[in-house]
Coordinates of all heavy atoms in Angstrom, one line a residue:
A30 N 0.1 119.7 67.8 CA -1.0 120.3 68.6 C -1.3 119.5 69.8 O -1.5 120.1 70.9 CB -2.2 120.4 67.7
Y31 N -1.3 118.2 69.7 CA -1.7 117.4 70.9 C -0.5 116.9 71.7 O -0.6 116.7 72.9 CB -2.5 116.2 70.4 CG -3.9 116.5 70.0 CD1 -4.2 116.4 68.6 CD2 -4.8 117.0 70.9 CE1 -5.5 116.7 68.2 CE2 -6.1 117.3 70.5 CZ -6.5 117.2 69.1 OH -7.7 117.5 68.7
S32 N 0.6 116.6 71.0 CA 1.7 115.9 71.7 C 3.0 116.8 71.9 O 3.9 116.4 72.6 CB 2.2 114.7 70.9 OG 1.0 113.8 70.7
G33 N 3.0 118.0 71.2 CA 4.1 118.9 71.4 C 5.4 118.4 70.9 O 6.5 118.7 71.4
I34 N 5.4 117.6 69.8 CA 6.6 117.1 69.2 C 6.9 117.8 67.9 O 6.1 118.5 67.3 CB 6.5 115.6 68.9 CG1 5.5 115.3 67.8 CG2 6.1 114.9 70.2 CD1 5.4 113.9 67.4
T35 N 8.2 117.7 67.5 CA 8.6 118.3 66.3 C 8.9 117.3 65.2 O 9.1 116.1 65.6 CB 9.9 119.2 66.5 OG1 11.0 118.4 66.9 CG2 9.6 120.3 67.5
M36 N 9.1 117.7 64.0 CA 9.4 116.8 62.9 C 10.5 117.3 62.0 O 10.5 118.5 61.8 CB 8.1 116.5 62.0 CG 7.0 115.7 62.6 SD 5.7 115.4 61.3 CE 4.5 114.6 62.4
R37 N 11.3 116.5 61.5 CA 12.2 116.8 60.4 C 11.9 115.7 59.3 O 11.5 114.6 59.6 CB 13.6 116.8 60.7 CG 14.0 118.2 61.4 CD 15.5 118.3 61.6 NE 16.0 117.2 62.5 CZ 17.2 116.6 62.3 NH1 17.9 116.8 61.2 NH2 17.6 115.6 63.1
T38 N 12.3 116.0 58.1 CA 11.9 115.1 57.0 C 13.1 114.9 56.0 O 13.9 115.8 55.8 CB 10.7 115.6 56.2 OG1 11.0 116.9 55.6 CG2 9.5 115.8 57.1
W39 N 13.1 113.8 55.4 CA 13.9 113.5 54.2 C 12.9 113.4 53.0 O 11.8 113.2 53.2 CB 14.8 112.3 54.3 CG 14.0 111.0 54.2 CD1 13.8 110.3 53.0 CD2 13.4 110.2 55.2 NE1 13.1 109.1 53.3 CE2 12.9 109.0 54.6 CE3 13.3 110.4 56.6 CZ2 12.2 108.1 55.3 CZ3 12.6 109.4 57.3 CH2 12.1 108.3 56.7
F40 N 13.5 113.6 51.8 CA 12.6 113.5 50.6 C 13.0 112.3 49.7 O 14.2 112.1 49.5 CB 12.7 114.8 49.8 CG 12.0 114.6 48.4 CD1 10.6 114.6 48.3 CD2 12.8 114.4 47.3 CE1 10.0 114.5 47.1 CE2 12.1 114.3 46.0 CZ 10.7 114.3 46.0
H41 N 12.0 111.6 49.3 CA 12.3 110.5 48.3 C 11.0 110.5 47.4 O 9.9 110.4 47.9 CB 12.4 109.1 48.9 CG 12.9 108.1 48.0 ND1 12.1 107.5 47.0 CD2 14.2 107.5 47.9 CE1 12.8 106.6 46.3 NE2 14.1 106.6 46.8
P42 N 11.2 110.5 46.1 CA 10.0 110.6 45.2 C 9.1 109.4 45.3 O 7.9 109.5 44.9 CB 10.6 110.7 43.8 CG 12.0 110.2 43.9 CD 12.5 110.6 45.3
R43 N 9.6 108.3 45.8 CA 8.7 107.1 46.0 C 8.5 106.8 47.4 O 8.0 105.8 47.8 CB 9.4 105.9 45.3 CG 9.5 106.0 43.8 CD 8.1 105.6 43.1 NE 7.9 104.1 43.4 CZ 6.7 103.5 43.2 NH1 5.7 104.3 42.8 NH2 6.6 102.2 43.4
G44 N 8.8 107.8 48.3 CA 8.5 107.6 49.7 C 9.4 106.6 50.4 O 9.0 106.1 51.5
Q45 N 10.5 106.2 49.8 CA 11.3 105.1 50.3 C 12.2 105.5 51.5 O 12.4 106.7 51.8 CB 12.1 104.5 49.2 CG 11.3 104.0 48.0 CD 10.4 102.8 48.4 OE1 10.9 101.8 48.9 NE2 9.1 102.9 48.2
V46 N 12.7 104.5 52.2 CA 13.7 104.7 53.2 C 15.0 105.1 52.6 O 15.5 104.4 51.6 CB 13.8 103.4 54.0 CG1 15.0 103.5 55.0 CG2 12.5 103.0 54.8
D47 N 15.6 106.1 53.1 CA 16.9 106.5 52.6 C 17.9 106.4 53.8 O 18.0 107.3 54.6 CB 16.9 108.0 52.1 CG 18.2 108.5 51.5 OD1 19.2 107.9 51.8 OD2 18.1 109.4 50.6
L48 N 18.6 105.3 53.9 CA 19.4 105.0 55.1 C 20.5 106.0 55.2 O 20.9 106.4 56.3 CB 19.9 103.6 55.0 CG 18.9 102.5 55.2 CD1 19.5 101.1 55.0 CD2 18.3 102.6 56.6
A49 N 21.2 106.3 54.1 CA 22.3 107.3 54.1 C 21.8 108.6 54.7 O 22.5 109.2 55.5 CB 22.9 107.5 52.7
M50 N 20.7 109.1 54.2 CA 20.1 110.4 54.7 C 19.8 110.3 56.2 O 20.0 111.2 57.0 CB 18.9 110.8 53.9 CG 18.3 112.1 54.3 SD 19.5 113.5 54.2 CE 19.7 113.6 52.4
L51 N 19.2 109.1 56.6 CA 18.8 109.0 58.0 C 20.0 109.0 58.9 O 19.9 109.5 60.0 CB 18.0 107.7 58.1 CG 16.6 107.7 57.7 CD1 16.0 106.3 57.6 CD2 15.7 108.6 58.6
R52 N 21.1 108.4 58.5 CA 22.3 108.4 59.3 C 22.8 109.9 59.5 O 23.3 110.2 60.6 CB 23.4 107.6 58.7 CG 23.1 106.1 58.7 CD 24.3 105.3 58.2 NE 24.0 103.8 58.2 CZ 23.6 103.2 57.1 NH1 23.5 103.8 56.0 NH2 23.3 101.9 57.2
Q53 N 22.7 110.7 58.5 CA 23.1 112.1 58.6 C 22.1 112.9 59.5 O 22.5 113.7 60.2 CB 23.1 112.7 57.2 CG 24.2 112.2 56.3 CD 24.2 112.9 54.9 OE1 23.9 114.1 54.8 NE2 24.6 112.2 53.9
M54 N 20.8 112.6 59.3 CA 19.8 113.4 60.0 C 19.7 113.0 61.5 O 19.3 113.9 62.3 CB 18.4 113.2 59.4 CG 18.3 113.8 58.0 SD 16.7 113.4 57.3 CE 15.6 114.3 58.5
H55 N 19.9 111.8 61.8 CA 19.5 111.3 63.2 C 20.3 112.1 64.2 O 21.6 112.2 64.2 CB 19.8 109.8 63.3 CG 19.3 109.2 64.6 ND1 19.9 109.4 65.8 CD2 18.2 108.6 64.9 CE1 19.2 108.8 66.8 NE2 18.2 108.3 66.2
A56 N 19.6 112.7 65.2 CA 20.3 113.5 66.2 C 20.3 112.7 67.6 O 19.2 112.5 68.1 CB 19.5 114.8 66.4
P57 N 21.4 112.4 68.1 CA 21.5 111.8 69.4 C 21.2 112.8 70.5 O 21.0 114.0 70.3 CB 22.9 111.3 69.5 CG 23.7 112.3 68.6 CD 22.8 112.7 67.5
D58 N 21.1 112.3 71.7 CA 20.9 113.1 72.9 C 22.2 113.8 73.2 O 23.2 113.2 73.7 CB 20.5 112.3 74.1 CG 20.1 113.1 75.3 OD1 20.3 114.3 75.2 OD2 19.6 112.5 76.3
L59 N 22.3 115.1 73.0 CA 23.5 115.9 73.2 C 23.3 116.9 74.3 O 23.9 118.0 74.4 CB 23.9 116.7 71.9 CG 24.2 115.8 70.7 CD1 24.5 116.6 69.5 CD2 25.5 114.9 71.1
G60 N 22.4 116.6 75.2 CA 22.1 117.4 76.4 C 21.2 118.6 76.0 O 20.5 118.6 75.0
P61 N 21.3 119.7 76.8 CA 20.3 120.8 76.7 C 20.7 121.8 75.6 O 20.7 123.0 75.8 CB 20.3 121.4 78.0 CG 21.8 121.2 78.5 CD 22.1 119.9 78.0
F62 N 21.0 121.2 74.4 CA 21.3 122.1 73.3 C 20.6 121.8 72.0 O 20.2 122.7 71.2 CB 22.8 121.9 73.0 CG 23.7 122.3 74.1 CD1 24.3 121.3 74.9 CD2 24.0 123.6 74.4 CE1 25.1 121.6 76.0 CE2 24.8 123.9 75.5 CZ 25.3 122.9 76.3
F63 N 20.3 120.5 71.7 CA 19.7 120.1 70.4 C 18.5 119.2 70.7 O 18.4 118.5 71.7 CB 20.7 119.4 69.5 CG 21.9 120.2 69.2 CD1 23.1 120.0 69.9 CD2 21.8 121.2 68.2 CE1 24.2 120.8 69.6 CE2 23.0 122.0 67.9 CZ 24.1 121.8 68.6
V64 N 17.6 119.2 69.7 CA 16.4 118.3 69.8 C 16.9 116.9 69.5 O 17.6 116.6 68.5 CB 15.4 118.7 68.7 CG1 14.2 117.7 68.7 CG2 14.8 120.1 69.0
R65 N 16.4 115.9 70.3 CA 16.8 114.5 70.1 C 15.8 113.8 69.2 O 14.6 114.0 69.3 CB 16.9 113.8 71.5 CG 17.4 112.4 71.4 CD 17.5 111.7 72.7 NE 16.3 111.2 73.3 CZ 15.8 110.0 72.9 NH1 16.4 109.2 72.0 NH2 14.7 109.5 73.5
T66 N 16.4 113.0 68.3 CA 15.5 112.1 67.5 C 15.1 110.9 68.3 O 15.9 110.1 68.7 CB 16.3 111.6 66.3 OG1 16.7 112.7 65.5 CG2 15.3 110.8 65.4
A67 N 13.8 110.9 68.7 CA 13.3 109.8 69.5 C 12.7 108.7 68.6 O 12.7 107.5 69.1 CB 12.2 110.3 70.4
A68 N 12.3 109.0 67.4 CA 11.7 107.9 66.6 C 11.8 108.3 65.1 O 11.9 109.4 64.7 CB 10.2 107.8 66.9
I69 N 11.8 107.2 64.3 CA 11.8 107.3 62.8 C 10.4 106.7 62.4 O 10.0 105.6 62.8 CB 12.9 106.6 62.2 CG1 14.3 107.1 62.7 CG2 12.9 106.7 60.7 CD1 15.5 106.2 62.3
S70 N 9.7 107.4 61.5 CA 8.4 107.0 61.1 C 8.5 106.6 59.6 O 9.1 107.4 58.8 CB 7.4 108.1 61.3 OG 6.1 107.6 60.8
V71 N 7.9 105.5 59.2 CA 7.8 105.1 57.8 C 6.3 104.8 57.5 O 5.5 104.5 58.4 CB 8.6 103.9 57.5 CG1 10.1 104.3 57.5 CG2 8.4 102.8 58.5
E72 N 6.0 104.9 56.2 CA 4.6 104.7 55.8 C 4.6 103.7 54.7 O 5.2 103.8 53.7 CB 4.0 106.0 55.3 CG 2.5 105.9 54.9 CD 2.0 107.3 54.4 OE1 2.6 108.3 54.8 OE2 1.0 107.3 53.7
C73 N 3.8 102.6 54.9 CA 3.8 101.5 54.0 C 2.4 100.9 53.9 O 1.9 100.4 55.0 CB 4.8 100.4 54.4 SG 4.9 99.0 53.2
T74 N 1.7 101.0 52.8 CA 2.2 101.6 51.6 C 2.2 103.1 51.7 O 1.5 103.7 52.6 CB 1.3 101.2 50.4 OG1 0.0 101.8 50.5 CG2 1.2 99.7 50.2
H75 N 2.9 103.8 50.8 CA 3.0 105.3 51.0 C 2.0 105.9 50.1 O 2.0 105.9 48.8 CB 4.5 105.7 50.5 CG 4.8 107.1 51.0 ND1 4.2 108.2 50.5 CD2 5.8 107.5 51.9 CE1 4.7 109.3 51.1 NE2 5.7 108.9 51.9

């Protein structure tokens, strides 16, 4: 609503970092075709 950004998510029952999933999900800058992943957010404690 305020920043105009989008989110994608991975799932972990304990809210943990899933490095393998993040490597698959992370989207580089591919020009005017795909949304770029600018940041990864973690919550501690979850």
Side-chain angles (χ1 to χ4, degrees):
Y31 287 112
S32 304
I34 68 174
T35 65
M36 289 185 185
R37 281 188 299 140
T38 62
W39 75 90
F40 172 75
H41 192 287
R43 292 278 292 165
Q45 300 295 305
V46 173
D47 187 333
L48 290 175
M50 181 59 69
L51 283 169
R52 290 189 183 97
Q53 293 180 32
M54 291 178 63
H55 190 280
D58 187 355
L59 297 175
F62 300 101
F63 300 100
V64 175
R65 182 175 85 82
T66 303
I69 302 168
S70 176
V71 288
E72 183 177 338
C73 186
T74 66
H75 196 296

